[in-house]
Short mmCIF file of all heavy atoms in Angstrom, two decimals:
data_model
loop_
_atom_site.label_atom_id
_atom_site.label_comp_id
_atom_site.label_asym_id
_atom_site.label_seq_id
_atom_site.Cartn_x
_atom_site.Cartn_y
_atom_site.Cartn_z
N MET A 1 -34.80 38.99 -26.76
CA MET A 1 -36.14 39.49 -26.92
C MET A 1 -36.36 40.91 -26.35
O MET A 1 -36.68 41.77 -27.05
CB MET A 1 -37.22 38.52 -26.23
CG MET A 1 -37.17 37.12 -26.86
SD MET A 1 -38.59 36.26 -26.18
CE MET A 1 -38.89 35.17 -27.38
N THR A 2 -36.08 41.06 -25.04
CA THR A 2 -36.33 42.34 -24.39
C THR A 2 -35.04 43.07 -24.30
O THR A 2 -35.07 44.27 -24.07
CB THR A 2 -36.89 42.20 -23.06
OG1 THR A 2 -35.90 41.51 -22.22
CG2 THR A 2 -38.21 41.44 -23.01
N GLY A 3 -33.85 42.45 -24.59
CA GLY A 3 -32.51 43.11 -24.37
C GLY A 3 -32.09 43.23 -22.90
O GLY A 3 -31.16 43.93 -22.71
N ILE A 4 -33.04 42.68 -21.98
CA ILE A 4 -32.58 42.76 -20.59
C ILE A 4 -31.84 41.52 -20.22
O ILE A 4 -32.44 40.41 -20.29
CB ILE A 4 -33.91 43.06 -19.78
CG1 ILE A 4 -34.56 44.32 -20.15
CG2 ILE A 4 -33.51 43.04 -18.24
CD1 ILE A 4 -35.95 44.54 -19.53
N PRO A 5 -30.75 41.68 -19.57
CA PRO A 5 -30.00 40.34 -19.19
C PRO A 5 -30.84 39.68 -18.10
O PRO A 5 -31.48 40.40 -17.28
CB PRO A 5 -28.57 40.83 -18.69
CG PRO A 5 -28.56 42.32 -18.83
CD PRO A 5 -29.92 42.80 -19.28
N SER A 6 -30.81 38.30 -17.98
CA SER A 6 -31.41 37.65 -16.92
C SER A 6 -30.48 36.57 -16.43
O SER A 6 -29.45 36.19 -16.96
CB SER A 6 -32.64 36.95 -17.53
OG SER A 6 -32.32 36.05 -18.51
N VAL A 7 -30.82 36.07 -15.21
CA VAL A 7 -30.05 34.93 -14.66
C VAL A 7 -31.17 33.93 -14.14
O VAL A 7 -32.21 34.30 -13.79
CB VAL A 7 -29.17 35.43 -13.52
CG1 VAL A 7 -28.05 36.40 -13.93
CG2 VAL A 7 -29.99 36.16 -12.35
N SER A 8 -30.58 32.69 -14.01
CA SER A 8 -31.45 31.62 -13.47
C SER A 8 -31.51 31.73 -11.92
O SER A 8 -30.70 32.23 -11.28
CB SER A 8 -31.02 30.29 -13.88
OG SER A 8 -29.81 30.03 -13.19
N THR A 9 -32.48 31.12 -11.32
CA THR A 9 -32.67 30.95 -9.92
C THR A 9 -31.49 30.29 -9.44
O THR A 9 -30.94 30.64 -8.38
CB THR A 9 -33.98 30.15 -9.55
OG1 THR A 9 -35.11 31.02 -10.12
CG2 THR A 9 -34.07 30.05 -8.10
N MET A 10 -31.08 29.26 -10.05
CA MET A 10 -29.77 28.42 -9.57
C MET A 10 -28.58 29.33 -9.59
O MET A 10 -27.71 29.25 -8.58
CB MET A 10 -29.63 27.21 -10.53
CG MET A 10 -30.79 26.13 -10.27
SD MET A 10 -30.96 25.61 -8.56
CE MET A 10 -29.35 24.88 -8.19
N LYS A 11 -28.40 30.19 -10.56
CA LYS A 11 -27.34 31.11 -10.61
C LYS A 11 -27.31 31.95 -9.29
O LYS A 11 -26.33 32.18 -8.70
CB LYS A 11 -27.24 31.86 -11.90
CG LYS A 11 -26.11 32.94 -11.91
CD LYS A 11 -24.85 32.20 -12.06
CE LYS A 11 -23.78 33.29 -12.26
NZ LYS A 11 -22.42 32.81 -12.15
N VAL A 12 -28.54 32.56 -9.03
CA VAL A 12 -28.66 33.45 -7.88
C VAL A 12 -28.28 32.78 -6.58
O VAL A 12 -27.62 33.22 -5.74
CB VAL A 12 -30.00 34.10 -7.94
CG1 VAL A 12 -30.19 34.81 -6.56
CG2 VAL A 12 -30.22 35.00 -9.07
N LEU A 13 -28.80 31.51 -6.44
CA LEU A 13 -28.55 30.79 -5.25
C LEU A 13 -27.13 30.37 -5.11
O LEU A 13 -26.56 30.41 -4.08
CB LEU A 13 -29.49 29.45 -5.24
CG LEU A 13 -30.99 29.69 -5.12
CD1 LEU A 13 -31.69 28.42 -5.23
CD2 LEU A 13 -31.37 30.38 -3.88
N HIS A 14 -26.51 29.96 -6.24
CA HIS A 14 -25.04 29.75 -6.21
C HIS A 14 -24.26 30.91 -5.76
O HIS A 14 -23.36 30.83 -4.98
CB HIS A 14 -24.69 29.18 -7.66
CG HIS A 14 -23.19 28.96 -7.70
ND1 HIS A 14 -22.64 27.79 -7.20
CD2 HIS A 14 -22.16 29.59 -8.24
CE1 HIS A 14 -21.24 27.86 -7.47
NE2 HIS A 14 -21.03 29.01 -8.16
N GLU A 15 -24.48 32.05 -6.42
CA GLU A 15 -23.79 33.24 -6.07
C GLU A 15 -23.97 33.65 -4.61
O GLU A 15 -22.92 34.04 -3.93
CB GLU A 15 -24.30 34.44 -6.96
CG GLU A 15 -23.71 34.42 -8.36
CD GLU A 15 -22.30 34.72 -8.32
OE1 GLU A 15 -21.69 35.60 -7.65
OE2 GLU A 15 -21.64 34.03 -9.06
N ALA A 16 -25.17 33.57 -4.04
CA ALA A 16 -25.30 33.83 -2.60
C ALA A 16 -24.60 32.86 -1.79
O ALA A 16 -23.84 33.39 -0.79
CB ALA A 16 -26.87 33.68 -2.27
N ASN A 17 -24.42 31.70 -2.19
CA ASN A 17 -23.66 30.61 -1.46
C ASN A 17 -22.21 31.04 -1.50
O ASN A 17 -21.50 31.02 -0.55
CB ASN A 17 -23.91 29.24 -1.97
CG ASN A 17 -23.16 28.21 -1.16
OD1 ASN A 17 -23.27 28.06 0.08
ND2 ASN A 17 -22.42 27.47 -1.77
N GLU A 18 -21.76 31.34 -2.72
CA GLU A 18 -20.26 31.66 -2.88
C GLU A 18 -19.92 32.98 -2.07
O GLU A 18 -18.76 33.04 -1.61
CB GLU A 18 -20.04 31.93 -4.37
CG GLU A 18 -20.05 30.77 -5.20
CD GLU A 18 -18.85 29.70 -4.98
OE1 GLU A 18 -17.74 30.36 -5.04
OE2 GLU A 18 -19.12 28.64 -4.84
N ARG A 19 -20.82 33.93 -1.94
CA ARG A 19 -20.61 35.21 -1.21
C ARG A 19 -20.86 35.03 0.35
O ARG A 19 -20.79 35.98 0.94
CB ARG A 19 -21.39 36.24 -1.81
CG ARG A 19 -21.02 36.54 -3.21
CD ARG A 19 -21.84 37.58 -3.88
NE ARG A 19 -21.52 37.75 -5.22
CZ ARG A 19 -21.64 38.94 -5.88
NH1 ARG A 19 -22.07 39.95 -5.32
NH2 ARG A 19 -21.33 38.92 -7.13
N GLY A 20 -21.42 33.84 0.76
CA GLY A 20 -21.75 33.68 2.17
C GLY A 20 -22.96 34.46 2.59
O GLY A 20 -23.10 34.81 3.73
N ILE A 21 -23.85 34.71 1.59
CA ILE A 21 -25.17 35.35 1.97
C ILE A 21 -26.12 34.25 2.32
O ILE A 21 -26.45 33.40 1.51
CB ILE A 21 -25.72 36.08 0.78
CG1 ILE A 21 -24.64 37.23 0.38
CG2 ILE A 21 -27.04 36.76 1.00
CD1 ILE A 21 -25.02 37.83 -1.08
N PRO A 22 -26.71 34.40 3.55
CA PRO A 22 -27.58 33.40 4.09
C PRO A 22 -29.01 33.42 3.32
O PRO A 22 -29.43 34.50 2.90
CB PRO A 22 -27.75 33.71 5.57
CG PRO A 22 -27.44 35.17 5.68
CD PRO A 22 -26.45 35.41 4.54
N LEU A 23 -29.53 32.26 3.10
CA LEU A 23 -30.90 32.23 2.52
C LEU A 23 -31.85 31.56 3.57
O LEU A 23 -31.37 30.67 4.28
CB LEU A 23 -30.85 31.23 1.21
CG LEU A 23 -29.83 31.73 0.13
CD1 LEU A 23 -29.84 30.70 -0.92
CD2 LEU A 23 -30.41 33.11 -0.49
N TYR A 24 -33.00 31.98 3.63
CA TYR A 24 -33.99 31.54 4.67
C TYR A 24 -35.34 31.09 3.98
O TYR A 24 -35.72 31.67 3.01
CB TYR A 24 -34.36 32.62 5.57
CG TYR A 24 -33.09 33.27 6.30
CD1 TYR A 24 -32.51 34.39 5.95
CD2 TYR A 24 -32.61 32.57 7.46
CE1 TYR A 24 -31.47 34.89 6.44
CE2 TYR A 24 -31.41 33.12 8.02
CZ TYR A 24 -30.91 34.40 7.60
OH TYR A 24 -29.87 34.87 8.25
N THR A 25 -35.83 30.06 4.47
CA THR A 25 -37.10 29.57 4.01
C THR A 25 -38.03 30.16 5.14
O THR A 25 -37.94 29.88 6.29
CB THR A 25 -37.32 27.99 4.04
OG1 THR A 25 -36.36 27.44 3.14
CG2 THR A 25 -38.67 27.63 3.75
N VAL A 26 -39.05 30.98 4.70
CA VAL A 26 -39.85 31.79 5.51
C VAL A 26 -41.31 31.12 5.45
O VAL A 26 -41.78 30.94 4.39
CB VAL A 26 -39.91 33.22 5.09
CG1 VAL A 26 -40.91 33.90 6.11
CG2 VAL A 26 -38.63 33.84 5.18
N THR A 27 -41.77 30.71 6.62
CA THR A 27 -43.10 30.12 6.64
C THR A 27 -43.91 30.90 7.73
O THR A 27 -43.37 31.67 8.43
CB THR A 27 -43.03 28.69 7.13
OG1 THR A 27 -42.63 28.59 8.35
CG2 THR A 27 -42.18 27.84 6.03
N LYS A 28 -45.14 30.65 7.80
CA LYS A 28 -46.04 31.25 8.90
C LYS A 28 -45.62 30.79 10.18
O LYS A 28 -45.84 31.42 11.14
CB LYS A 28 -47.54 30.97 8.49
CG LYS A 28 -47.90 29.56 8.66
CD LYS A 28 -49.45 29.39 8.30
CE LYS A 28 -49.82 27.94 8.52
NZ LYS A 28 -51.21 27.72 8.19
N ASP A 29 -44.91 29.65 10.28
CA ASP A 29 -44.50 29.09 11.59
C ASP A 29 -43.19 29.79 12.16
O ASP A 29 -43.03 29.76 13.32
CB ASP A 29 -44.37 27.64 11.49
CG ASP A 29 -45.63 26.87 11.19
OD1 ASP A 29 -46.62 27.28 11.84
OD2 ASP A 29 -45.65 25.91 10.50
N ASN A 30 -42.35 30.26 11.17
CA ASN A 30 -41.11 30.89 11.63
C ASN A 30 -40.84 32.24 11.26
O ASN A 30 -39.84 32.85 11.52
CB ASN A 30 -39.92 29.99 11.02
CG ASN A 30 -39.73 30.19 9.61
OD1 ASN A 30 -40.48 30.89 8.94
ND2 ASN A 30 -38.69 29.58 9.12
N ILE A 31 -41.95 32.86 10.72
CA ILE A 31 -41.66 34.31 10.19
C ILE A 31 -41.21 35.26 11.27
O ILE A 31 -40.49 36.03 10.94
CB ILE A 31 -43.02 34.76 9.49
CG1 ILE A 31 -42.66 36.03 8.71
CG2 ILE A 31 -44.14 34.93 10.48
CD1 ILE A 31 -43.52 36.44 7.74
N LYS A 32 -41.67 35.19 12.46
CA LYS A 32 -41.30 36.08 13.58
C LYS A 32 -39.76 35.97 13.80
O LYS A 32 -39.07 36.95 13.98
CB LYS A 32 -42.06 35.85 14.79
CG LYS A 32 -43.54 36.28 14.62
CD LYS A 32 -44.31 36.04 15.88
CE LYS A 32 -43.95 37.11 16.92
NZ LYS A 32 -44.70 36.92 18.27
N ASP A 33 -39.31 34.67 13.89
CA ASP A 33 -37.87 34.47 14.08
C ASP A 33 -37.03 34.96 12.95
O ASP A 33 -36.03 35.56 13.22
CB ASP A 33 -37.65 32.93 14.38
CG ASP A 33 -38.35 32.45 15.58
OD1 ASP A 33 -38.47 33.28 16.62
OD2 ASP A 33 -38.65 31.28 15.53
N VAL A 34 -37.44 34.72 11.77
CA VAL A 34 -36.67 35.14 10.53
C VAL A 34 -36.65 36.64 10.45
O VAL A 34 -35.62 37.29 10.10
CB VAL A 34 -37.21 34.41 9.28
CG1 VAL A 34 -36.49 34.91 8.03
CG2 VAL A 34 -37.08 32.94 9.34
N LEU A 35 -37.77 37.30 10.56
CA LEU A 35 -37.87 38.72 10.31
C LEU A 35 -36.94 39.49 11.40
O LEU A 35 -36.45 40.54 11.06
CB LEU A 35 -39.32 39.24 10.52
CG LEU A 35 -40.18 38.83 9.31
CD1 LEU A 35 -41.59 39.49 9.60
CD2 LEU A 35 -39.65 39.33 8.04
N GLU A 36 -36.84 38.84 12.53
CA GLU A 36 -35.86 39.41 13.57
C GLU A 36 -34.46 39.56 13.16
O GLU A 36 -33.67 40.42 13.50
CB GLU A 36 -35.89 38.67 14.94
CG GLU A 36 -37.25 38.88 15.66
CD GLU A 36 -37.24 38.15 16.95
OE1 GLU A 36 -36.22 37.48 17.34
OE2 GLU A 36 -38.40 38.00 17.54
N ILE A 37 -34.01 38.70 12.24
CA ILE A 37 -32.64 38.64 11.86
C ILE A 37 -32.35 39.26 10.57
O ILE A 37 -31.16 39.58 10.11
CB ILE A 37 -32.01 37.19 11.92
CG1 ILE A 37 -32.80 36.23 11.02
CG2 ILE A 37 -31.97 36.68 13.26
CD1 ILE A 37 -32.29 34.95 10.88
N LEU A 38 -33.39 39.51 9.67
CA LEU A 38 -33.27 40.09 8.39
C LEU A 38 -32.89 41.60 8.48
O LEU A 38 -33.49 42.32 9.38
CB LEU A 38 -34.55 40.00 7.63
CG LEU A 38 -34.91 38.63 7.11
CD1 LEU A 38 -36.10 38.56 6.27
CD2 LEU A 38 -33.75 37.88 6.28
N GLU A 39 -32.04 42.04 7.64
CA GLU A 39 -31.47 43.38 7.61
C GLU A 39 -32.37 44.13 6.52
O GLU A 39 -31.78 44.43 5.54
CB GLU A 39 -30.12 43.57 7.59
CG GLU A 39 -29.39 43.01 8.83
CD GLU A 39 -27.89 43.14 8.71
OE1 GLU A 39 -27.37 43.78 7.79
OE2 GLU A 39 -27.20 42.46 9.52
N VAL A 40 -33.61 44.24 6.66
CA VAL A 40 -34.40 44.96 5.63
C VAL A 40 -35.29 45.93 6.29
O VAL A 40 -35.48 45.88 7.51
CB VAL A 40 -35.19 43.93 4.81
CG1 VAL A 40 -34.38 42.92 4.16
CG2 VAL A 40 -36.21 43.19 5.76
N GLY A 41 -35.90 46.78 5.36
CA GLY A 41 -36.74 47.85 6.07
C GLY A 41 -38.13 47.32 6.44
O GLY A 41 -38.50 46.14 6.09
N GLN A 42 -38.91 48.11 7.15
CA GLN A 42 -40.18 47.68 7.73
C GLN A 42 -41.09 47.37 6.71
O GLN A 42 -41.86 46.50 6.79
CB GLN A 42 -40.62 48.79 8.69
CG GLN A 42 -41.92 48.32 9.50
CD GLN A 42 -41.62 47.16 10.41
OE1 GLN A 42 -40.45 46.94 11.02
NE2 GLN A 42 -42.38 46.11 10.37
N ALA A 43 -41.12 48.12 5.51
CA ALA A 43 -42.03 47.92 4.38
C ALA A 43 -41.89 46.43 3.88
O ALA A 43 -42.87 45.71 3.56
CB ALA A 43 -41.91 48.89 3.33
N VAL A 44 -40.69 45.95 3.83
CA VAL A 44 -40.35 44.57 3.38
C VAL A 44 -40.83 43.60 4.34
O VAL A 44 -41.54 42.59 4.00
CB VAL A 44 -38.83 44.40 3.10
CG1 VAL A 44 -38.53 42.90 2.76
CG2 VAL A 44 -38.33 45.26 1.99
N LYS A 45 -40.62 43.91 5.65
CA LYS A 45 -41.11 42.96 6.68
C LYS A 45 -42.61 42.88 6.69
O LYS A 45 -43.20 41.85 6.83
CB LYS A 45 -40.50 43.36 8.05
CG LYS A 45 -39.06 43.24 8.18
CD LYS A 45 -38.69 43.65 9.59
CE LYS A 45 -37.09 43.50 9.70
NZ LYS A 45 -36.64 43.80 11.04
N ASN A 46 -43.26 44.05 6.46
CA ASN A 46 -44.75 44.06 6.42
C ASN A 46 -45.23 43.20 5.26
O ASN A 46 -46.17 42.54 5.25
CB ASN A 46 -45.31 45.49 6.20
CG ASN A 46 -45.03 46.38 7.52
OD1 ASN A 46 -44.67 45.83 8.65
ND2 ASN A 46 -45.08 47.59 7.32
N GLY A 47 -44.46 43.24 4.04
CA GLY A 47 -44.89 42.46 2.88
C GLY A 47 -44.83 40.96 3.30
O GLY A 47 -45.65 40.23 2.86
N TYR A 48 -43.75 40.58 3.88
CA TYR A 48 -43.55 39.12 4.22
C TYR A 48 -44.67 38.65 5.23
O TYR A 48 -45.16 37.63 5.09
CB TYR A 48 -42.27 38.89 4.93
CG TYR A 48 -41.12 38.65 3.92
CD1 TYR A 48 -39.98 39.50 3.82
CD2 TYR A 48 -41.22 37.64 3.00
CE1 TYR A 48 -38.95 39.30 3.01
CE2 TYR A 48 -40.11 37.37 2.07
CZ TYR A 48 -39.04 38.23 2.10
OH TYR A 48 -38.05 38.14 1.19
N ASN A 49 -44.98 39.55 6.21
CA ASN A 49 -46.12 39.24 7.13
C ASN A 49 -47.39 39.13 6.36
O ASN A 49 -48.19 38.17 6.71
CB ASN A 49 -46.21 40.35 8.23
CG ASN A 49 -45.34 40.18 9.33
OD1 ASN A 49 -45.14 39.03 9.82
ND2 ASN A 49 -44.73 41.23 9.83
N GLU A 50 -47.73 39.91 5.43
CA GLU A 50 -48.93 39.83 4.68
C GLU A 50 -48.91 38.45 3.87
O GLU A 50 -49.94 37.87 3.76
CB GLU A 50 -49.10 41.04 3.76
CG GLU A 50 -49.52 42.25 4.47
CD GLU A 50 -50.91 42.16 5.22
OE1 GLU A 50 -51.86 41.60 4.45
OE2 GLU A 50 -51.03 42.61 6.40
N PHE A 51 -47.80 38.19 3.26
CA PHE A 51 -47.73 37.04 2.39
C PHE A 51 -47.91 35.70 3.17
O PHE A 51 -48.37 34.80 2.58
CB PHE A 51 -46.26 37.09 1.68
CG PHE A 51 -46.18 35.93 0.60
CD1 PHE A 51 -46.79 35.91 -0.47
CD2 PHE A 51 -45.38 34.84 1.03
CE1 PHE A 51 -46.60 34.90 -1.34
CE2 PHE A 51 -45.21 33.82 0.19
CZ PHE A 51 -45.80 33.86 -1.04
N CYS A 52 -47.38 35.67 4.35
CA CYS A 52 -47.41 34.51 5.21
C CYS A 52 -48.68 34.35 6.08
O CYS A 52 -48.76 33.42 6.86
CB CYS A 52 -46.22 34.40 6.13
SG CYS A 52 -44.69 34.01 5.15
N LYS A 53 -49.68 35.15 5.83
CA LYS A 53 -50.84 35.05 6.66
C LYS A 53 -51.61 33.70 6.36
O LYS A 53 -51.55 33.23 5.24
CB LYS A 53 -51.71 36.28 6.47
CG LYS A 53 -51.32 37.39 7.31
CD LYS A 53 -52.42 38.52 7.10
CE LYS A 53 -51.95 39.61 8.09
NZ LYS A 53 -52.93 40.76 7.97
#
């Protein structure tokens, strides 16, 4: 339709597992702990903080 390749969520999760990339469930109860270990920029962390309010 759009000519843009796509992948399923399951494929992304499988690839992350195969490559040893950790996945985290982020909630309002654990967000501070998770954000401390993520290697992302402050803008991404701010977005997660806003989303979990």
Side-chain angles (χ1 to χ4, degrees):
M1 296 186 157
T2 63
I4 300 171
S6 63
V7 294
S8 70
T9 300
M10 291 305 296
K11 176 69 175 169
V12 171
L13 296 174
H14 176 76
E15 281 293 317
N17 184 56
E18 289 288 312
R19 296 176 185 211
I21 299 170
L23 300 172
Y24 303 98
T25 300
V26 180
T27 68
K28 65 181 179 182
D29 296 322
N30 72 355
I31 189 163
K32 288 177 76 176
D33 296 327
V34 174
L35 289 181
E36 287 179 10
I37 57 177
L38 291 181
E39 296 179 14
V40 297
Q42 191 59 47
V44 173
K45 291 181 181 184
N46 292 345
Y48 278 118
N49 274 319
E50 287 296 314
F51 182 76
C52 286
K53 282 186 175 180

